[in-house]
Amino acid sequence: MSELLPDLIEEVISHSELSDSGIGVAAIIAQADEDEMALLLESLPIEQRLSLWQTLPEHKKLDILIAMRGDPREVLVRATEPERWDKLFVGIEAEDLLELADSLPEELVERAYAAMDRVQKQYFTEANQYPEEQVGHWITHDYLVLPLNARVREGIRLIRREMPRHTDVIFLINRFGHFSEAVPISKLYALPEHVPLVDFALHDFPVINATDEGQKVVKDVLYSSYGALPVIDENRKLIGRIDVTTASELSEEYYERQLMASAGMDENEDLFSAVRRSAKRRAIWLGINLLTALLASAFIGMFEATLQQVVALAVLMPVVASMGGIAGSQTLTLIIRGLALKQVTPANTRVLLSKELKVGGLNGIIWAIVIGIVAFAWFGDPLLGAVIAIAIFLNIVAAAFAGVFVPVILVKLKIDPALSGSVILTTVTDIVGFVAFLGLGTILLL
């Protein structure tokens, strides 16, 4: 359906049929899975989204809501009649409610919880003991497990009865429920039925702690070569697992959050959210940016007399700011990625800084010469060319320095560098660039 999405959006909005294929919109939607329907609904203006939502089969609605982002999901939650929720909540599992909880009013969370069976209620309660940043909040419970003294016959009987997705091992636990071993399913059929499973268990099978941060776990799971890894609590009790699908979803959500945060926005932002709500959210970062811009302007104001006498400086100022900003953002992006992947540590920060300063110095020299020659050819003043060349070099080097240290310092202060790093970096490069350029201009040109 992904390749048909633009056509479907157009057809739903215009309330017509797909003329090219001869297949009605309703027929295509009926064949779509929950993820595809979620994407289509998020792509529609509010009026058409609500209209299409009312036509969807009741048994699909809960899964569609789970697949949607927070803000567009809330629009549909508010539009669903209270009496329909009891039917929608039939068969709801703990993992589903954990995903929906932030979008539901407290009353609906309680109704969903009441609709769950005893086991699912226990799973939900246990998961809520961990914050969303920790993997214990997102574990799944569909795994194969046997006692430590189980034999091959029990293993074969178990996998014939059920086989959860991404299952390539059976977890073995002791009588206290503690994780002990993992047994590869591929070996079961080659051994006599009376052989104890523990005899061919995998040594040093990787285990995840429930309090581990999500991004650390994503890397552990995706690089483990197994379909899923067991999750244990502080007492080594097996409480669930994280499979490759869940790890991939957590990774995608994280990087989408980082991308949106770099612009001061939320990853749950609705394309068609209310104007006032969108404006309010974005106004905060526009205000922060205004404050930093005013700070940079204050430094420019210190050289007002210089600008009045040398108009060429005012013409060339954007070049200095732009070059520093681009150079700094390149380093900043690299460091933020390294911090996210746990590649940047105090042990290698000095070497990384040295490398980035060398890169900045080399680029600074090259582009200082180029821009200096351009300025000389433009204005016919060799001193002006020298001034902007030196300022460009200093600003690119300063940008490299700030690009390394700004995100590192923000992480130590427990502030997301993706959210505020670019604002701080831009302020640093603007101030350094303007002070260097206008200060040298005052000294050499007046």
Side-chain angles (χ1 to χ4, degrees), residues 176-437:
F176 300 107
H178 300 164
F179 175 81
S180 297
E181 307 284 352
V183 178
I185 291 175
S186 59
K187 293 186 177 182
L188 262 62
Y189 293 99
L191 295 169
E193 291 189 348
H194 66 276
V195 174
L197 291 176
V198 72
D199 287 356
F200 57 99
L202 297 166
H203 298 293
D204 301 321
F205 192 80
V207 176
I208 296 169
N209 290 308
T211 54
D212 286 345
E213 291 186 3
Q215 283 311 296
K216 173 186 178 302
V217 169
V218 164
K219 185 177 179 181
D220 291 343
V221 173
L222 296 181
Y223 293 167
S224 70
S225 76
Y226 297 106
L229 296 182
V231 179
I232 59 174
D233 64 13
E234 65 276 8
N235 299 316
R236 284 195 61 85
K237 181 180 179 182
L238 179 66
I239 61 172
R241 70 169 189 162
I242 293 291
D243 61 34
V244 292
T245 295
T246 302
S248 297
E249 290 171 351
L250 290 173
S251 180
E252 290 174 5
E253 290 173 4
Y254 174 79
Y255 285 110
E256 183 177 358
R257 184 163 58 250
Q258 294 288 94
L259 175 65
M260 298 296 286
S262 65
M265 299 175 69
D266 192 313
E267 76 273 16
N268 288 313
E269 182 85 14
D270 189 346
L271 280 172
F272 300 99
S273 60
V275 172
R276 180 176 295 182
R277 182 174 185 177
S278 293
K280 181 180 179 181
R281 286 182 172 180
R282 301 183 196 185
I284 296 174
W285 281 98
L286 289 173
I288 293 173
N289 184 72
L290 174 61
L291 292 176
T292 60
L294 290 174
L295 180 62
S297 297
F299 279 90
I300 296 174
M302 296 167 56
F303 301 95
E304 182 179 357
T306 302
L307 288 171
Q308 289 177 348
Q309 297 185 47
V310 186
V311 177
L313 292 178
V315 174
L316 294 172
M317 276 173 52
V319 177
V320 179
S322 176
M323 292 298 289
I326 292 297
S329 66
Q330 292 170 339
T331 302
L332 182 74
T333 301
L334 183 69
I335 301 302
I336 288 177
R337 186 190 69 176
L339 288 167
L341 297 175
K342 309 299 182 184
Q343 294 175 307
V344 177
T345 68
N348 62 14
T349 301
R350 180 177 296 181
V351 178
L352 187 56
L353 175 63
S354 174
K355 175 255 182 179
E356 288 299 318
L357 288 176
K358 289 176 182 176
V359 172
L362 180 58
N363 271 328
I365 292 172
I366 293 171
W367 291 106
I369 293 172
V370 171
I371 296 171
I373 292 173
V374 171
F376 170 62
W378 189 354
F379 294 98
D381 187 340
L383 279 179
L384 179 61
V387 166
I388 194 170
I390 296 171
I392 288 290
F393 173 78
L394 293 175
N395 203 22
I396 289 179
V397 172
F401 185 88
V404 172
F405 272 107
V406 165
V408 170
I409 292 172
L410 288 175
V411 167
K412 289 185 177 180
L413 296 175
K414 301 187 181 304
I415 300 173
D416 188 351
L419 186 63
S420 52
S422 60
V423 176
I424 298 174
L425 176 72
T426 301
T427 304
V428 171
T429 55
D430 283 354
I431 291 174
V432 170
F434 292 150
V435 170
F437 185 45

Side-chain angles (χ1 to χ4, degrees), residues 61-109:
K61 284 187 175 181
L62 186 66
D63 289 332
I64 292 171
L65 286 174
I66 292 169
M68 293 181 72
R69 291 180 175 85
D71 284 3
R73 177 198 293 155
E74 289 180 7
V75 172
L76 300 182
V77 168
R78 290 194 297 269
T80 301
E81 294 83 354
E83 59 272 13
R84 288 193 177 184
W85 284 107
D86 288 334
K87 183 180 293 185
L88 294 179
F89 286 148
V90 172
I92 189 171
E93 297 182 353
E95 297 163 30
D96 302 334
L97 185 53
L98 287 167
E99 185 66 40
L100 292 173
D102 289 341
S103 303
L104 298 178
E106 186 62 31
E107 177 190 350
L108 288 182
V109 173

